[in-house]
Amino acid sequence: MFQYDYPQFEKKRLLRAEMLDKLRDYPKVFLDLQFQGFGDGIINGCNIVWDDGQLTISPGMIYWKGKLYFMEQPYMMECSAQDKIRYLKVQFLTEIRVTGKIMGNTRIFLEDKKPDPACEMELCRFRLQEGARLRSCYENFQDYSTEYDTVNIIHQPYAAEGGSTLNPRIIRQFSKEIMRSRPLDPLDASFSMTSLAVHGVVTVDCIREYLFVRLGEDYGDRGNGGLYRGLMEILKNQRNGEVRKGEVSRGKRSVMLL
């Protein structure tokens, strides 16, 4: 049954060990239930900015294998131009048990190899050219995939119920561009308005089903890159005034039956 049990501290009463245990356990139990069923990824923060050869990752919270990791201070590191694709990654280290506590630590670093999904998570990727500046501001939805001198967060996993999904910034940008193009398909308007209402935090299943209905293809096994390409295709179709592929197919079948 549902209940709550919170210790009451009173003057001239003994402070018992179980009272402190309840204070200790309450936040952990709450967070465990709050993120139950979530996929691995960023919960909040972890924005990336480059300035004068230095990368700064803002404070944030990451969910990984059922554990919450917190970074309360900005993390700064050197980042020079090398004109090749580099990956900014978080490596999750082996849990340490010492007297009175359990510690879960991480390592943030740049490398030329893609993350190892067993113990690493991608924060971003980029290709910085000599003499250029690495930017993390985007002009439009397509700009998120610019190859050179741009922080690419498409493959960065964002924690959401049911699995990792696209960063909300990407979903919000897509939704705004769809709405400003005055969509003819009510599904586009519905998806975009709902996405904006939840600040862009959309589950991966919702994006997959939307793409399947609009494009007639299953993007479920293509990762964040596939989801992004599918959304880009919808934007291109919208600008070109094309109808849904499903509607075209139904129209063709009707002609054949006649």
Side-chain angles (χ1 to χ4, degrees):
M1 59 183 172
F2 296 98
Q3 65 178 23
Y4 68 87
D5 185 357
Y6 199 78
Q8 184 69 41
F9 298 96
E10 298 175 340
K11 289 183 178 180
K12 299 181 181 180
R13 297 293 296 272
L14 290 175
L15 183 63
R16 299 191 304 274
E18 63 254 29
M19 298 171 70
L20 296 177
D21 289 342
K22 287 189 179 297
L23 285 179
R24 178 201 63 194
D25 295 339
Y26 185 83
K28 184 179 184 304
V29 171
F30 173 79
L31 290 173
D32 287 344
L33 293 175
Q34 178 75 20
F35 296 107
Q36 192 175 32
F38 272 53
D40 296 334
I42 291 173
I43 295 288
N44 206 349
C46 302
N47 298 314
I48 300 159
V49 176
W50 183 92
D51 183 46
D52 196 23
Q54 188 175 65
L55 269 180
T56 301
I57 301 100
S58 70
M61 181 167 59
I62 290 176
Y63 188 75
W64 178 263
K65 310 300 182 188
K67 298 289 195 312
L68 283 168
Y69 292 77
F70 303 89
M71 187 168 71
E72 298 180 3
Q73 300 295 329
Y75 184 85
M76 291 169 283
M77 61 189 303
E78 295 297 319
C79 175
S80 60
Q82 297 188 12
D83 198 13
K84 60 182 178 181
I85 297 178
R86 304 179 74 191
Y87 302 87
L88 179 62
K89 304 189 289 187
V90 178
Q91 183 182 41
F92 298 88
L93 305 177
T94 303
E95 191 175 77
I96 299 174
R97 294 175 179 266
V98 295
T99 303
K101 62 180 177 180
I102 303 172
M103 298 174 60
N105 289 321
T106 61
R107 182 170 73 99
I108 301 175
F109 64 105
L110 279 168
E111 199 174 45
D112 301 340
K113 298 187 299 183
K114 289 185 177 181
D116 178 357
C119 62
E120 296 174 347
M121 190 185 81
E122 178 177 335
L123 292 180
C124 74
R125 63 181 66 175
F126 57 84
R127 184 170 181 172
L128 179 59
Q129 301 177 100
E130 188 69 36
R133 295 180 60 84
L134 184 65
R135 62 191 179 93
S136 53
C137 296
Y138 310 93
E139 296 179 0
N140 51 43
F141 185 79
Q142 186 173 357
D143 197 24
Y144 279 87
S145 59
T146 299
E147 180 179 0
Y148 292 97
D149 312 319
T150 305
V151 173
N152 185 326
I153 59 172
I154 293 172
H155 305 276
Q156 174 199 93
Y158 200 89
E161 193 169 0
S164 304
T165 189
L166 284 167
N167 188 297
R169 292 179 62 184
I170 298 175
I171 297 296
R172 289 198 301 268
Q173 184 65 43
F174 169 82
S175 300
K176 289 176 182 178
E177 292 187 27
I178 282 287
M179 294 307 298
R180 290 171 184 174
S181 66
R182 298 182 179 181
L184 298 176
D185 193 319
L187 181 59
D188 291 337
S190 175
F191 177 85
S192 299
M193 289 302 294
T194 302
S195 299
L196 291 173
V198 295
H199 308 290
V201 183
V202 181
T203 65
V204 65
D205 284 340
C206 181
I207 301 173
R208 287 172 178 168
E209 294 305 315
Y210 171 59
L211 293 177
F212 182 79
V213 173
R214 284 291 275 110
L215 301 176
E217 296 182 36
D218 187 358
Y219 287 78
D221 299 325
R222 306 183 190 182
N224 279 6
L227 299 178
Y228 177 83
R229 287 191 294 273
L231 294 173
M232 177 60 71
E233 184 69 20
I234 291 174
L235 267 179
K236 289 180 179 178
N237 292 345
Q238 175 69 21
R239 291 168 186 152
N240 296 332
E242 297 179 14
V243 297
R244 245 189 285 183
K245 286 188 177 181
E247 292 176 351
V248 173
S249 300
R250 287 195 295 272
K252 288 182 178 180
R253 286 197 294 268
S254 298
V255 171
M256 292 177 65
L257 288 172
L258 289 173

